[in-house]
Amino acid sequence: MRLELDQVALGDGPGAPLPAVSVVADRRAPGFVAVETEGAPTLASLVAGGRMAPDRGRVTLDGSEDADAVRASFALVDTPTVAEPFSTLTVAQVTREELALAGHRADRASVAEFLDVVGLTEHRRTRLASLPTELRVRLLCELALLRPGVEGLVLTSPERHGGDVAAWLGVVHDLARRGVVVLTVTGVAALATVRALPAPDLGEDEDDDAEAAPGEDEDTHFDARPDDDPAARPDDDTAAPTPGSSRS
C-alpha cells in the first residue's frame, strides 16, 4: 500500500494555509513531511487522510485518486482539534474509550490486557499530558490500528509534546517493520533531525504475524461485548467522557 501526496496545497501565495507539499509513504518506508504555522499540520493531515480535498495537487492510494479508500484505510492520530484526546484523561481512560469505539471489549480486564501487550501497564493511571512522547505515540497508534479496516496512519506533530525525536521515531520505525504505512506530519526542525539519524533496516518481506495489531493475533483478541453485559461495564478507573475521543 502506497500513499502519495503530489504538490497538494490549500490556498495561494506565501500566506497559504497549506503551501504545496509532496511526500510518499509506503510499507516499510514511512513518509515524513514538514509544514509550519499553527494550523498547517492539521490541514496537511486532513488532506493526507482523505478528510479534506486539496485546492491543488493529488492524493493517491496505490496510484488511484480515491478519497473514500484513503479515509477507510488511514486513521488520523493525535491531530490537533480533530483527533487529539483530552490531556487530562488517563492512559486507561483513553484505552477504554478507543477499544469501545473500535467495537472491542472495553471492560477493566480488556484495558489491562491491551496495556500489557503494548508495554504500558505501569502507566495505567498516568494522565496523557504526563506521558512521555514516544509512549503517547505508541499508545495512540496501536489503538488506531484496532479500528476495522485501518492499515495506515497519519501521525500529526509528535514533536509538539517535547522529548527526543529519535524516541518517537523509533515507534514509527517499529510500525513500519510490521508493514504499517505511516505518514508523519512534523516540523522543519524535527524533520531535519529525522534525516540526520541513521536509516534503520525495516525489512522487505511481508509478515502477517508481525503486522497484526495488538489484540488481533491468536494469543490476544478483543471481542465486542453487548453494552448490557454487566462484566463489560466500565469501572471508575477507566470511565472517560465520550468527547475525549481521539478517533478520526
Side-chain angles (χ1 to χ4, degrees):
M1 189 167 71
R2 177 187 176 94
L3 179 69
E4 182 171 1
L5 278 61
D6 182 13
Q7 290 296 302
V8 298
L10 293 168
D12 297 300
L18 179 65
V21 295
S22 296
V23 64
V24 174
D26 207 337
R27 293 190 189 276
R28 315 275 181 190
F32 301 89
V33 62
V35 294
E36 296 291 336
T37 75
E38 183 178 357
T42 294
L43 293 175
S45 299
L46 289 169
V47 170
R51 275 73 169 176
M52 178 183 291
D55 293 336
R56 299 189 309 283
R58 303 168 68 239
V59 178
T60 60
L61 182 61
D62 295 331
S64 175
E65 290 188 73
D66 187 343
D68 290 339
V70 175
R71 244 187 337 267
S73 301
F74 282 82
L76 303 186
V77 178
D78 210 15
T79 305
T81 75
V82 176
E84 181 181 30
F86 292 143
S87 62
T88 55
L89 296 179
T90 66
V91 166
Q93 288 172 332
V94 172
T95 299
R96 173 193 163 267
E97 184 174 354
E98 285 296 317
L99 289 178
L101 288 170
H104 297 292
R105 291 170 51 187
D107 55 86
R108 188 187 190 105
S110 297
V111 169
E113 183 180 23
F114 175 85
L115 293 179
D116 179 61
V117 169
V118 299
L120 287 172
T121 298
E122 66 181 290
H123 288 286
R124 176 187 181 92
R125 297 181 184 274
T126 302
R127 296 198 181 277
L128 209 58
S130 301
L131 195 65
T133 299
E134 65 272 18
L135 299 184
R136 178 189 179 105
V137 171
R138 183 173 298 282
L139 172 70
L140 298 183
C141 285
E142 297 288 7
L143 286 169
L145 288 171
L146 293 178
R147 303 173 195 169
V150 169
E151 300 179 66
L153 305 171
V154 177
L155 173 63
T156 310
S157 303
E159 78 287 346
R160 75 185 189 277
H161 302 297
D164 186 358
V165 170
W168 61 254
L169 180 61
V171 178
V172 172
H173 287 157
D174 286 346
L175 293 166
R177 287 187 183 92
R178 286 160 45 190
V180 178
V181 179
V182 185
L183 171 61
T184 301
V185 179
T186 187
V188 172
L191 181 57
T193 301
V194 168
R195 289 175 172 168
L197 293 169
D201 179 6
L202 302 180
E204 297 179 356
D205 297 330
E206 296 296 331
D207 186 337
D208 292 338
D209 291 334
E211 291 178 20
E216 294 182 351
D217 59 30
E218 62 183 7
D219 298 321
T220 309
H221 184 71
F222 297 99
D223 294 318
R225 182 179 286 181
D227 291 339
D228 61 354
D229 188 330
R233 294 172 188 164
D235 50 46
D236 291 339
D237 179 46
T238 56
T242 299
S245 172
S246 60
R247 183 181 181 87
S248 181

